[in-house]
Amino acid sequence: EDSFRLTCLVNNLLELSKIESSNTVYAFEEKNIEEIITSAVEPFISIAEKSGIAMTFEPVLPLPKAVVDSSKITWVMNNLIT
């Protein structure tokens, strides 16, 4: 678990460095927002449960599609969740 956190921290620092140096390449595509959020939340559900935290994502309304870079928005979602 600690090695996973350290790896995430290093990856985040590398990603921030790329963004700051303007060397980031974006791959925009139309994606379903619900799918993006679901795929970002799923890996953390079992981690949360081990800590006694119930974690779910249940959209109230149908969510629209958005033009995003899937890997970048997933990176943002992961950082928001952690």
Side-chain angles (χ1 to χ4, degrees):
E1 187 174 316
D2 288 337
S3 62
F4 174 74
R5 287 184 185 169
L6 183 58
T7 301
C8 288
L9 178 61
V10 169
N11 288 337
N12 286 339
L13 291 172
L14 290 171
E15 189 66 32
L16 282 173
S17 176
K18 280 195 273 183
I19 291 169
E20 288 175 350
S21 68
S22 300
N23 289 335
T24 302
V25 177
Y26 297 97
F28 292 106
E29 59 185 332
E30 188 174 87
K31 298 292 278 187
N32 182 304
I33 294 175
E34 184 173 338
E35 290 174 12
I36 292 170
I37 297 171
T38 300
S39 67
V41 169
E42 281 179 351
F44 294 98
I45 291 175
S46 63
I47 296 169
E49 286 175 351
K50 288 178 185 176
S51 299
I53 299 168
M55 183 175 190
T56 61
F57 168 66
E58 298 173 9
V60 178
L61 301 171
L63 298 174
K65 290 187 176 188
V67 177
V68 297
D69 179 313
S70 294
S71 65
K72 301 295 185 276
I73 198 68
T74 300
W75 179 75
V76 170
M77 293 294 300
N78 288 340
N79 282 302
L80 288 172
I81 293 168
T82 57

